[in-house]
Structures are given as structure tokens and as C-alpha cells.
Amino acid sequence: MSNMEERISALKGMVGEANVASDPDRLRAYSIDGLSPQAAVFPGSIEEVSKVVAFANERKLSLAPRGSGTKMSWGALPRKVDLVLGMERVNRVTDSDIDNLTLSVECGMPLAEMQKRLAKEGRGYFIPLDPPFGSKATLGGVIATNATGPRRFVYGSARDQLLGLKAVLPNGDIVVAGGKCVKNVSGYDMTKLLIGSGGALGILCEITTRLLPLTEAEATLILPFKELEGAAKFVREIVHSKIFPAAIEVFNGTAMAGVHSEAAAKAPYSVVFACENVVEAVERQIAELGAMGRKAGAVDVTTLKAEGHKAFWAALSDFPLALRQRDPNAVGVKANVVLSKFVEIMAAAEREAKGRGFDIALVAQAGNGIVQGYLPVGSDAAAKAGGIADFFGRIVAEAVKCDGNCIVEAAPRAVKEKVNVWGQPRSDSVVMKRLKEKIDPADIMNTGRIVA
């Protein structure tokens, strides 16, 4: 029996024969940047996750955690991929304390499924997270990448919502951090440490999160503008006003065409608000935002309610997924800058993309200082890699000038070979490297993808 056959046999003994994939044809679906694993393993409990991770650590096998697969393009090129650890079977609700607005749930649970369940509880509740790939992403993937969406403006990020978590460290130990009753102690804050760590420091297995009641009323306002600066000036006026919408987004025409084609036809740029509150407050926001928008130069005001409202934000959440289905080589970048500078990044991205013959879809979370950009690439990714790398370098430089940075969230291998996907190196990269060496000295977790 070969070493690999012995390993696969051992893994089957831990999680069951049906829960280990080793057929090369099937494993291609679990490849990461062109590298196929030797096996894909699907544990059914946190204890089984612990056994698999301890086994990988003992045998020095590189291990990549996976939820639904929406974030597997995230990170640099892996140095090796021996095992993919699929978390889809670790998906139980372990504690639902609706009266105290807390929930404990395992990380293989799809966020959308959990939201549907919570909406049917009592008056209706939700986890205040609305990341990209919202219809498919698992809670573990969302937390591991600290993915945030438009409503971060009012609800914050995962760091603001999580009370605690349970994780498996690279040596197989199960650790519990935080919980419904949190007491400060010395040492690492493992909850904060693992949020956004990309699976490089451990496997997220269970989270305890805050819940909120569903709002009484909700609506979307779309205000098209002929000029980007006009849209940005209007956003600045709202940010400094007493109006507090749930989200403030700025779209260029290409992005809006993929979310709401009617609005895209009216002007090259659009400012979009989500209004969520009691009925009277939402109606007041609709009236005030519409009046202020027309005064600021908006060419129209479109109001979406009920299913129209839900459909708009669902389409925005799944925009990168829809783009990737049409163009698997599409490049996704994310810049984070100070709030007042999002317009500079949007203008630079449009200018630099156009100058290299690329179209680009741009969506700015204008209340958060985050700008998402998506470049369709098509089939000839290798030939275009140099131009895309040059484009990315220019946007990184512009983001640094705006007191921020820019990263690549998705790109074909040919592009990743030419760029540092994490943008401008900063002091936090040194900290992350030291943490990686301390917590994962064998470097088995997402080898090379998160920490170079």
C-alpha cells in the first residue's frame, strides 16, 4: 500500500468512506489555482475536524478549509495542497437564545439558509451580515474572510457581531473563545484573531453571534447622476446630515447594468440607499433623500419596496458570482480608503482600466470607504495578465495615497503570478507572519495562500 493509499484509508476511518473523495476527476472540482488535492475530506462534527487536522499536522500535509467554495479564489498561489477539508456537514444550530438575541451555529451552515430560518422565528430575526455571494456563502467562509456588505455602514462587520467561537488549531486542539458571557483574560483574543485570518491559523467550526429583529419597513432609493463628482458630492452631503440610511452605495454604469438595468440606462453613475426602520422613519427618509437628490442634480429617483427592494440587494450580493459564472477568469479587486477618498479610487480605476482596454464594474460602499472592482477578462487570461497586473499596481499606489490599500480577491493564476495579491506590504503582514509561525509552525494551514 502506497503512502497516499494509507493516508486515504486512515481518513476514511475517521469520517466514513463516503465522506472522502480521492478520484482525480472529482478532485478537479476542489482544485485551488490549478492545484488539485490528493483528497477531499468531509467531517461531520467538530471532533472529526479535530482528528483530521491532527492527522494532517502529524503527517505534514497541507490542508485547505472549504465551505461552499465561493472564496477559494481568495489569497496568493498555494505552495501545495494535499487535503481540502470540506465543512458542509458541520452545520448544526447548537444554541438558539432568541429572547437574548444570540445564536450559536456551526460554520458549515449557509448564511442564507440561517437567515431564512431566523426570519420565521417569532417576529422575525436576522444575523446582521450581508456579504458578497450571500446566497451561497457559509458562515465559516464569511467570518474567515471578514467579508462585509453594504449594511456594514450601520451594523458593522463580523468583529462587531461575534461574541465567541469554537475552532480547531493546526495541532488538532479544539479551542473555545468568548461566548454569551465574555470575561477578559490575558493572552490572544482568539475570536478577533481568527476573524479574517483566511483559514491560516485554524479551522472555524462554530460561532456565537448577536441577532437583531427584522425591521418593520424597508425601501431602496436609486438616484442616477451624470457625473461621478456630482454623485460623490451628494453622498458627502448625506454622510454629514442627520439622515442615517442602512447603506450608501455608488455604482458606475457597468455595475448597475448587472444589478438593475433600468437604472443603468438613465445615467452613468447611481447613488443607492437602503432605508430600514419603522414605517414612518422609512417614508420620511424616502422623501428627504429624494428631495435632496434632485436638488443635488439627480436625473431621476426610483423607489423600490417589498420584493423589489429584496431583489436589488440580492442581485448586488450575488453580482460577483453571476460575473464569475459568465467569465471564470474575471478579476475582483477591493480597495479600502478613508471615507472621503472613494471617488478618487473609482475615477482612477475607470481611467486605468479604459487606458488598457478593459471594462470595469465598480461599486463603492460610500459609507465604509470600500470600493469593489470587477474586470471581465475572457478566455485569453495569460495574454492579458501583464496589463491587469499593471492596472492593479496603479490602483494599489492610488489607494496608498488615499491612506488605504488594495487587494486582489479573485484572479486567474497567470495574473496572480505577476502581483502581490495583498497589495502594499504593511506592518500588519509582519505581525501575521509571526502569529503564523507561533500557531502553525508546521505551516499546514493554507500553505502560502494567506501568509507568504
Side-chain angles (χ1 to χ4, degrees):
M1 182 182 291
S2 68
N3 283 343
M4 196 60 233
E5 289 174 333
E6 179 187 356
R7 293 168 183 170
I8 290 173
S9 177
L11 291 168
K12 288 179 178 179
M14 296 175 198
V15 302
E17 184 172 353
N19 299 311
V20 178
S22 57
D23 178 72
D25 290 335
R26 185 179 173 189
L27 289 176
R28 273 194 286 272
Y30 300 101
S31 65
I32 303 173
D33 290 319
L35 294 184
S36 291
Q38 297 177 13
V41 188
F42 303 92
S45 68
I46 297 174
E47 290 71 28
E48 289 185 358
V49 173
S50 173
K51 290 178 183 178
V52 172
V53 172
F55 177 81
N57 189 61
E58 179 186 342
R59 302 298 180 91
K60 301 297 184 289
L61 300 175
S62 174
L63 190 152
R66 187 183 193 275
S68 63
T70 60
K71 311 290 193 308
M72 297 308 287
S73 61
W74 211 63
L77 294 173
R79 288 199 295 275
K80 62 174 184 171
V81 181
D82 294 319
L83 302 177
V84 165
L85 193 151
M87 293 292 290
E88 60 195 48
R89 296 177 60 228
V90 187
N91 59 11
R92 298 176 304 123
V93 175
T94 57
D95 183 67
S96 180
D97 190 353
I98 297 297
D99 290 340
N100 290 304
L101 296 177
T102 64
L103 174 78
S104 296
V105 56
E106 292 177 339
C107 288
M109 172 70 73
L111 174 61
E113 181 179 335
M114 194 68 250
Q115 300 287 40
K116 288 179 182 177
R117 291 192 195 182
L118 290 168
K120 297 175 183 177
E121 290 277 353
R123 59 163 292 184
Y125 300 87
F126 71 107
I127 300 171
L129 295 171
D130 62 337
F133 304 100
S135 67
K136 292 186 176 295
T138 61
L139 283 163
V142 172
I143 304 303
T145 57
N146 197 25
T148 58
R151 288 166 182 78
R152 178 176 178 172
F153 178 64
V154 67
Y155 298 127
S157 69
R159 295 179 188 276
D160 303 295
Q161 305 306 331
L162 257 63
L163 298 171
L165 55 77
K166 186 179 290 187
V168 173
L169 296 183
N171 64 358
D173 287 350
I174 299 173
V175 297
V176 179
K180 287 192 286 186
C181 296
V182 181
K183 180 180 179 182
N184 291 327
V185 296
S186 59
Y188 296 130
D189 182 342
M190 293 302 295
T191 301
K192 296 291 194 295
L193 191 63
L194 291 173
I195 296 171
S197 64
L201 303 178
I203 308 292
L204 290 168
C205 294
E206 181 183 310
I207 62 166
T208 298
T209 180
R210 293 183 174 91
L211 302 178
L212 288 176
L214 289 173
T215 52
E216 182 179 305
E218 53 192 17
T220 298
L221 262 71
I222 306 174
L223 297 96
F225 283 80
K226 293 181 179 179
E227 302 290 339
L228 178 58
E229 185 52 48
K233 184 178 179 181
F234 175 48
V235 167
R236 287 192 287 269
E237 181 183 359
I238 298 304
V239 168
H240 291 96
S241 73
K242 294 182 180 180
I243 304 174
F244 197 59
I248 307 175
E249 303 286 287
V250 178
F251 292 68
N252 75 347
T254 303
M256 183 55 78
V259 178
H260 197 282
S261 57
E262 293 179 17
K266 294 177 180 178
Y269 303 95
S270 294
V271 179
V272 180
F273 299 98
C275 302
E276 299 174 357
N277 210 307
V278 297
V279 174
E280 294 81 0
V282 169
E283 292 302 323
R284 185 171 64 252
Q285 286 187 359
I286 290 172
E288 292 179 356
L289 289 169
M292 292 172 70
R294 290 187 185 280
K295 187 176 179 181
V299 300
D300 189 32
V301 179
T302 299
T303 303
L304 305 175
K305 294 184 178 181
E307 292 307 313
H309 166 86
K310 289 182 171 65
F312 180 91
W313 296 102
L316 174 58
S317 176
D318 282 341
F319 180 78
L321 180 64
L323 178 60
R324 190 178 297 176
Q325 288 172 342
R326 295 194 302 270
D327 181 2
N329 289 323
V331 172
V333 299
K334 180 173 78 171
N336 65 294
V337 295
V338 295
L339 293 182
S340 60
K341 299 292 185 179
F342 78 87
V343 65
E344 281 86 343
I345 296 299
M346 290 188 73
E350 287 194 314
R351 181 178 66 249
E352 298 296 339
K354 184 178 180 180
R356 291 164 179 79
F358 296 112
D359 192 13
I360 186 168
L362 291 166
V363 184
Q365 295 177 20
N368 305 325
I370 294 172
V371 180
Q372 302 271 178
Y374 306 96
L375 288 84
V377 174
S379 58
D380 199 7
K384 299 172 182 176
I388 294 170
D390 187 45
F391 162 82
F392 179 63
R394 298 296 293 269
I395 301 307
V396 169
E398 190 68 31
V400 170
K401 281 167 50 181
C402 297
D403 299 318
N405 202 358
C406 185
I407 66 171
V408 172
E409 291 194 311
R413 186 180 183 92
V415 173
K416 287 189 176 184
E417 288 173 344
K418 295 179 178 292
V419 302
N420 178 357
V421 299
W422 303 116
Q424 177 71 32
R426 304 184 302 184
S427 59
D428 55 359
S429 62
V430 177
V431 175
M432 186 65 176
K433 184 176 181 180
R434 290 176 179 171
L435 286 169
K436 177 73 168 172
E437 291 169 349
K438 183 73 173 178
I439 297 173
D440 184 18
D443 192 20
I444 68 163
M445 293 290 190
N446 266 338
T447 307
R449 293 179 68 201
I450 312 301
V451 183

mmCIF file with all atom_site columns, all heavy atoms in Angstrom, residues 98-110:
data_model
loop_
_atom_site.group_PDB
_atom_site.id
_atom_site.type_symbol
_atom_site.label_atom_id
_atom_site.label_alt_id
_atom_site.label_comp_id
_atom_site.label_asym_id
_atom_site.label_entity_id
_atom_site.label_seq_id
_atom_site.pdbx_PDB_ins_code
_atom_site.Cartn_x
_atom_site.Cartn_y
_atom_site.Cartn_z
_atom_site.occupancy
_atom_site.B_iso_or_equiv
_atom_site.pdbx_formal_charge
_atom_site.auth_seq_id
_atom_site.auth_comp_id
_atom_site.auth_asym_id
_atom_site.auth_atom_id
_atom_site.pdbx_PDB_model_num
ATOM 1  N N   . ILE A 1 98  ? -33.236 33.150 21.343 1.00 0.00 ? 98  ILE A N   1
ATOM 2  C CA  . ILE A 1 98  ? -33.867 34.287 20.685 1.00 0.00 ? 98  ILE A CA  1
ATOM 3  C C   . ILE A 1 98  ? -34.206 35.393 21.677 1.00 0.00 ? 98  ILE A C   1
ATOM 4  O O   . ILE A 1 98  ? -34.058 36.584 21.376 1.00 0.00 ? 98  ILE A O   1
ATOM 5  C CB  . ILE A 1 98  ? -35.147 33.822 19.944 1.00 0.00 ? 98  ILE A CB  1
ATOM 6  C CG1 . ILE A 1 98  ? -34.787 32.817 18.847 1.00 0.00 ? 98  ILE A CG1 1
ATOM 7  C CG2 . ILE A 1 98  ? -35.884 35.017 19.354 1.00 0.00 ? 98  ILE A CG2 1
ATOM 8  C CD1 . ILE A 1 98  ? -33.916 33.351 17.750 1.00 0.00 ? 98  ILE A CD1 1
ATOM 9  N N   . ASP A 1 99  ? -34.640 35.006 22.883 1.00 0.00 ? 99  ASP A N   1
ATOM 10 C CA  . ASP A 1 99  ? -35.018 36.018 23.872 1.00 0.00 ? 99  ASP A CA  1
ATOM 11 C C   . ASP A 1 99  ? -33.861 36.958 24.195 1.00 0.00 ? 99  ASP A C   1
ATOM 12 O O   . ASP A 1 99  ? -34.066 38.144 24.462 1.00 0.00 ? 99  ASP A O   1
ATOM 13 C CB  . ASP A 1 99  ? -35.504 35.344 25.161 1.00 0.00 ? 99  ASP A CB  1
ATOM 14 C CG  . ASP A 1 99  ? -36.848 34.650 24.979 1.00 0.00 ? 99  ASP A CG  1
ATOM 15 O OD1 . ASP A 1 99  ? -37.558 35.001 24.012 1.00 0.00 ? 99  ASP A OD1 1
ATOM 16 O OD2 . ASP A 1 99  ? -37.180 33.765 25.785 1.00 0.00 ? 99  ASP A OD2 1
ATOM 17 N N   . ASN A 1 100 ? -32.642 36.419 24.177 1.00 0.00 ? 100 ASN A N   1
ATOM 18 C CA  . ASN A 1 100 ? -31.465 37.228 24.470 1.00 0.00 ? 100 ASN A CA  1
ATOM 19 C C   . ASN A 1 100 ? -30.688 37.610 23.219 1.00 0.00 ? 100 ASN A C   1
ATOM 20 O O   . ASN A 1 100 ? -29.547 38.084 23.299 1.00 0.00 ? 100 ASN A O   1
ATOM 21 C CB  . ASN A 1 100 ? -30.551 36.486 25.458 1.00 0.00 ? 100 ASN A CB  1
ATOM 22 C CG  . ASN A 1 100 ? -31.160 36.410 26.843 1.00 0.00 ? 100 ASN A CG  1
ATOM 23 O OD1 . ASN A 1 100 ? -31.491 37.435 27.434 1.00 0.00 ? 100 ASN A OD1 1
ATOM 24 N ND2 . ASN A 1 100 ? -31.332 35.194 27.357 1.00 0.00 ? 100 ASN A ND2 1
ATOM 25 N N   . LEU A 1 101 ? -31.299 37.383 22.058 1.00 0.00 ? 101 LEU A N   1
ATOM 26 C CA  . LEU A 1 101 ? -30.739 37.798 20.766 1.00 0.00 ? 101 LEU A CA  1
ATOM 27 C C   . LEU A 1 101 ? -29.335 37.244 20.526 1.00 0.00 ? 101 LEU A C   1
ATOM 28 O O   . LEU A 1 101 ? -28.416 37.949 20.088 1.00 0.00 ? 101 LEU A O   1
ATOM 29 C CB  . LEU A 1 101 ? -30.722 39.329 20.659 1.00 0.00 ? 101 LEU A CB  1
ATOM 30 C CG  . LEU A 1 101 ? -32.099 40.001 20.667 1.00 0.00 ? 101 LEU A CG  1
ATOM 31 C CD1 . LEU A 1 101 ? -31.941 41.519 20.632 1.00 0.00 ? 101 LEU A CD1 1
ATOM 32 C CD2 . LEU A 1 101 ? -32.938 39.538 19.493 1.00 0.00 ? 101 LEU A CD2 1
ATOM 33 N N   . THR A 1 102 ? -29.161 35.937 20.798 1.00 0.00 ? 102 THR A N   1
ATOM 34 C CA  . THR A 1 102 ? -27.892 35.285 20.483 1.00 0.00 ? 102 THR A CA  1
ATOM 35 C C   . THR A 1 102 ? -28.162 33.950 19.803 1.00 0.00 ? 102 THR A C   1
ATOM 36 O O   . THR A 1 102 ? -29.211 33.322 19.996 1.00 0.00 ? 102 THR A O   1
ATOM 37 C CB  . THR A 1 102 ? -27.029 35.042 21.728 1.00 0.00 ? 102 THR A CB  1
ATOM 38 O OG1 . THR A 1 102 ? -27.688 34.122 22.605 1.00 0.00 ? 102 THR A OG1 1
ATOM 39 C CG2 . THR A 1 102 ? -26.724 36.343 22.450 1.00 0.00 ? 102 THR A CG2 1
ATOM 40 N N   . LEU A 1 103 ? -27.193 33.513 19.031 1.00 0.00 ? 103 LEU A N   1
ATOM 41 C CA  . LEU A 1 103 ? -27.297 32.256 18.283 1.00 0.00 ? 103 LEU A CA  1
ATOM 42 C C   . LEU A 1 103 ? -25.926 31.613 18.218 1.00 0.00 ? 103 LEU A C   1
ATOM 43 O O   . LEU A 1 103 ? -24.935 32.289 17.940 1.00 0.00 ? 103 LEU A O   1
ATOM 44 C CB  . LEU A 1 103 ? -27.809 32.526 16.866 1.00 0.00 ? 103 LEU A CB  1
ATOM 45 C CG  . LEU A 1 103 ? -27.845 31.323 15.912 1.00 0.00 ? 103 LEU A CG  1
ATOM 46 C CD1 . LEU A 1 103 ? -29.065 30.450 16.212 1.00 0.00 ? 103 LEU A CD1 1
ATOM 47 C CD2 . LEU A 1 103 ? -27.862 31.782 14.458 1.00 0.00 ? 103 LEU A CD2 1
ATOM 48 N N   . SER A 1 104 ? -25.868 30.315 18.468 1.00 0.00 ? 104 SER A N   1
ATOM 49 C CA  . SER A 1 104 ? -24.642 29.544 18.254 1.00 0.00 ? 104 SER A CA  1
ATOM 50 C C   . SER A 1 104 ? -24.915 28.534 17.147 1.00 0.00 ? 104 SER A C   1
ATOM 51 O O   . SER A 1 104 ? -25.890 27.783 17.209 1.00 0.00 ? 104 SER A O   1
ATOM 52 C CB  . SER A 1 104 ? -24.215 28.824 19.535 1.00 0.00 ? 104 SER A CB  1
ATOM 53 O OG  . SER A 1 104 ? -23.881 29.739 20.553 1.00 0.00 ? 104 SER A OG  1
ATOM 54 N N   . VAL A 1 105 ? -24.055 28.536 16.132 1.00 0.00 ? 105 VAL A N   1
ATOM 55 C CA  . VAL A 1 105 ? -24.295 27.695 14.959 1.00 0.00 ? 105 VAL A CA  1
ATOM 56 C C   . VAL A 1 105 ? -22.961 27.269 14.374 1.00 0.00 ? 105 VAL A C   1
ATOM 57 O O   . VAL A 1 105 ? -21.981 28.016 14.413 1.00 0.00 ? 105 VAL A O   1
ATOM 58 C CB  . VAL A 1 105 ? -25.141 28.461 13.906 1.00 0.00 ? 105 VAL A CB  1
ATOM 59 C CG1 . VAL A 1 105 ? -24.487 29.762 13.505 1.00 0.00 ? 105 VAL A CG1 1
ATOM 60 C CG2 . VAL A 1 105 ? -25.422 27.598 12.678 1.00 0.00 ? 105 VAL A CG2 1
ATOM 61 N N   . GLU A 1 106 ? -22.921 26.049 13.851 1.00 0.00 ? 106 GLU A N   1
ATOM 62 C CA  . GLU A 1 106 ? -21.685 25.557 13.253 1.00 0.00 ? 106 GLU A CA  1
ATOM 63 C C   . GLU A 1 106 ? -21.431 26.221 11.902 1.00 0.00 ? 106 GLU A C   1
ATOM 64 O O   . GLU A 1 106 ? -22.364 26.637 11.210 1.00 0.00 ? 106 GLU A O   1
ATOM 65 C CB  . GLU A 1 106 ? -21.742 24.038 13.124 1.00 0.00 ? 106 GLU A CB  1
ATOM 66 C CG  . GLU A 1 106 ? -21.710 23.352 14.490 1.00 0.00 ? 106 GLU A CG  1
ATOM 67 C CD  . GLU A 1 106 ? -21.834 21.844 14.420 1.00 0.00 ? 106 GLU A CD  1
ATOM 68 O OE1 . GLU A 1 106 ? -22.332 21.326 13.386 1.00 0.00 ? 106 GLU A OE1 1
ATOM 69 O OE2 . GLU A 1 106 ? -21.454 21.180 15.394 1.00 0.00 ? 106 GLU A OE2 1
ATOM 70 N N   . CYS A 1 107 ? -20.152 26.294 11.532 1.00 0.00 ? 107 CYS A N   1
ATOM 71 C CA  . CYS A 1 107 ? -19.745 27.189 10.443 1.00 0.00 ? 107 CYS A CA  1
ATOM 72 C C   . CYS A 1 107 ? -20.008 26.668 9.039  1.00 0.00 ? 107 CYS A C   1
ATOM 73 O O   . CYS A 1 107 ? -19.876 27.418 8.077  1.00 0.00 ? 107 CYS A O   1
ATOM 74 C CB  . CYS A 1 107 ? -18.258 27.532 10.597 1.00 0.00 ? 107 CYS A CB  1
ATOM 75 S SG  . CYS A 1 107 ? -17.950 28.638 11.987 1.00 0.00 ? 107 CYS A SG  1
ATOM 76 N N   . GLY A 1 108 ? -20.397 25.398 8.900  1.00 0.00 ? 108 GLY A N   1
ATOM 77 C CA  . GLY A 1 108 ? -20.765 24.918 7.577  1.00 0.00 ? 108 GLY A CA  1
ATOM 78 C C   . GLY A 1 108 ? -22.166 25.318 7.162  1.00 0.00 ? 108 GLY A C   1
ATOM 79 O O   . GLY A 1 108 ? -22.573 25.079 6.020  1.00 0.00 ? 108 GLY A O   1
ATOM 80 N N   . MET A 1 109 ? -22.908 25.964 8.057  1.00 0.00 ? 109 MET A N   1
ATOM 81 C CA  . MET A 1 109 ? -24.263 26.420 7.749  1.00 0.00 ? 109 MET A CA  1
ATOM 82 C C   . MET A 1 109 ? -24.226 27.552 6.724  1.00 0.00 ? 109 MET A C   1
ATOM 83 O O   . MET A 1 109 ? -23.552 28.556 6.932  1.00 0.00 ? 109 MET A O   1
ATOM 84 C CB  . MET A 1 109 ? -24.953 26.910 9.023  1.00 0.00 ? 109 MET A CB  1
ATOM 85 C CG  . MET A 1 109 ? -26.291 27.590 8.797  1.00 0.00 ? 109 MET A CG  1
ATOM 86 S SD  . MET A 1 109 ? -27.606 26.463 8.274  1.00 0.00 ? 109 MET A SD  1
ATOM 87 C CE  . MET A 1 109 ? -27.925 25.593 9.823  1.00 0.00 ? 109 MET A CE  1
ATOM 88 N N   . PRO A 1 110 ? -24.951 27.444 5.613  1.00 0.00 ? 110 PRO A N   1
ATOM 89 C CA  . PRO A 1 110 ? -25.040 28.568 4.675  1.00 0.00 ? 110 PRO A CA  1
ATOM 90 C C   . PRO A 1 110 ? -25.727 29.763 5.339  1.00 0.00 ? 110 PRO A C   1
ATOM 91 O O   . PRO A 1 110 ? -26.745 29.599 6.021  1.00 0.00 ? 110 PRO A O   1
ATOM 92 C CB  . PRO A 1 110 ? -25.871 28.017 3.519  1.00 0.00 ? 110 PRO A CB  1
ATOM 93 C CG  . PRO A 1 110 ? -25.720 26.531 3.611  1.00 0.00 ? 110 PRO A CG  1
ATOM 94 C CD  . PRO A 1 110 ? -25.619 26.237 5.082  1.00 0.00 ? 110 PRO A CD  1
#
